Amino acid sequence: PDRYAVIGNPIAQSRSPVLHTAFARQFGHDLQYEKLLATHENFAETVRRFIAEGGKGMNVTAPFKLAALEFADTLSERARAARAINTLKFGPEGVHGDNTDGVGLVSDIRDRLGIALRDRRILVIGAGGAARGILQPLLETGPAHLLLVNRTERKAHELLEACGAAGVTAAGPLDAAADGAFDVVINATSASFDDGRLPLGRGTFAPGALAYDLVYGRGETAFLRDARRLGAARVSDGLGMLVGQAAESYRLWFGCWPDVEPVMALVR
Ligand code: ATR
């Protein structure tokens, strides 16, 4: 079998083996997908050993997305923009690093949820690693406007300056989101991990708006509950993004695009 793995710490909770095994079944690929636990000290050594044993590729999860950036010989444009890697491909030409998180989100919103992003008003809340990973793919969909807000406003400005899409984008403090009538509102903060509330208002959501939390597996978060109460027509957690990023990794490794819908049902 072809050997693949996901590396992280902790790693026991990872659903990547289930996802990739399900994709492989769709195509009849012979795939062995493992979980690798590493530390910051032995990350590089663990990846090198996996390559030496014949490993073909790897997903990278917290806290190694930055370490993987340094490990890779070549980087995709989107990995460079995200300054993080979630997918490695090992080949004769070396280690290639990519980041499929952002396209995973975009394909989930567009293809699975059926919501267009072109010419829409998008709000992204948060300016940490998760936000950085999705900004460029979101901008590539051609929104009419993208507002990035963050508790620490300075970080929102810095992040937008780094990805440079003047004209369409603006940055501001959290409460700048209260009145913008956005079509798509994305929570990229880590607030959902401790059920933190965000200052949303009725004016945040345009008619028919989607509220999307990047977090998954925590039921309906405070953000999604508030969004629904304040008029969001549709809400979604980040499980579809998880499946979407895995599908894009699979495409990078095998060149074929898995059907995500039955796999969503499997992990739901
Ligand atoms: P991640 O990699 O998950 O994005 P991170 O890089 O630590 O994690 O970033 C966390 C993000 O969530 C930041 O934008 C943070 O805001 P600050 O930059 O002001 O710290 C945001 N965040 C975390 N808890 C929050 C809360 N309770 N309310 C609002 N924003 C919060």
Side-chain angles (χ1 to χ4, degrees):
D2 288 336
R3 282 184 72 190
Y4 290 82
V6 57
I7 189 165
N9 190 342
I11 199 60
Q13 81 296 341
S14 173
R15 308 220 213 167
S16 292
V18 174
L19 299 174
H20 287 285
T21 305
F23 294 155
R25 215 173 294 129
Q26 292 180 7
F27 301 107
H29 290 159
D30 188 13
L31 177 113
Q32 181 182 327
Y33 193 103
E34 306 153 44
K35 293 177 186 174
L36 296 176
L37 180 69
T39 62
H40 282 295
E41 289 67 40
N42 71 11
F43 170 79
E45 180 195 327
T46 307
V47 181
R48 262 186 233 111
R49 190 181 327 120
F50 189 71
I51 297 171
E53 291 168 359
K56 299 263 175 73
M58 200 179 264
N59 285 123
V60 180
T61 189
F64 301 125
K65 291 188 175 189
L66 205 66
L69 199 66
E70 280 149 35
F71 188 86
D73 301 313
T74 56
L75 296 177
S76 70
E77 187 62 41
R78 59 199 186 191
R80 202 171 288 124
R83 270 181 280 144
I85 275 178
N86 79 333
T87 309
L88 293 172
K89 183 175 181 174
F90 311 131
E93 68 293 339
V95 175
H96 181 67
D98 200 348
N99 189 315
T100 65
D101 286 328
V103 275
L105 171 71
V106 167
S107 70
D108 192 44
I109 293 177
R110 219 163 37 188
D111 307 337
R112 189 179 66 89
L113 298 173
I115 292 172
L117 292 164
R118 174 163 294 280
D119 294 332
R120 298 299 187 87
R121 294 174 60 77
I122 302 178
L123 171 67
V124 176
I125 311 172
R132 199 169 63 228
I134 62 172
L135 267 186
Q136 194 194 313
L138 281 174
L139 285 168
E140 281 170 7
T141 67
H145 181 62
L146 186 149
L147 175 65
L148 179 69
V149 298
N150 194 46
R151 182 173 59 186
T152 311
E153 185 182 352
R154 174 184 50 80
K155 285 167 64 180
H157 287 284
E158 287 169 0
L159 189 49
L160 275 193
E161 274 158 31
C163 78
V168 184
T169 57
L174 276 189
D175 59 13
D179 219 17
F182 295 94
D183 301 298
V184 175
V185 177
I186 298 167
N187 180 17
T189 73
S190 49
S192 292
F193 288 108
D194 48 19
D195 228 29
R197 306 286 292 273
L198 299 166
L200 308 168
R202 280 208 170 271
T204 303
F205 301 94
L210 167 74
Y212 195 106
D213 203 325
L214 297 193
V215 162
Y216 61 88
R218 307 185 73 88
E220 192 158 283
T221 60
F223 165 74
L224 293 179
R225 271 197 311 278
D226 286 344
R228 199 191 284 282
R229 185 172 51 80
L230 292 166
R234 300 181 69 182
V235 301
S236 177
D237 72 3
L239 192 67
M241 175 179 171
L242 176 79
V243 179
Q245 62 77 29
E248 179 73 12
S249 294
Y250 200 91
R251 195 190 60 76
L252 183 78
W253 292 331
F254 292 96
C256 44
W257 182 257
D259 187 4
V260 296
E261 206 60 57
V263 179
M264 278 302 290
L266 185 73
V267 289
R268 181 60 81 188

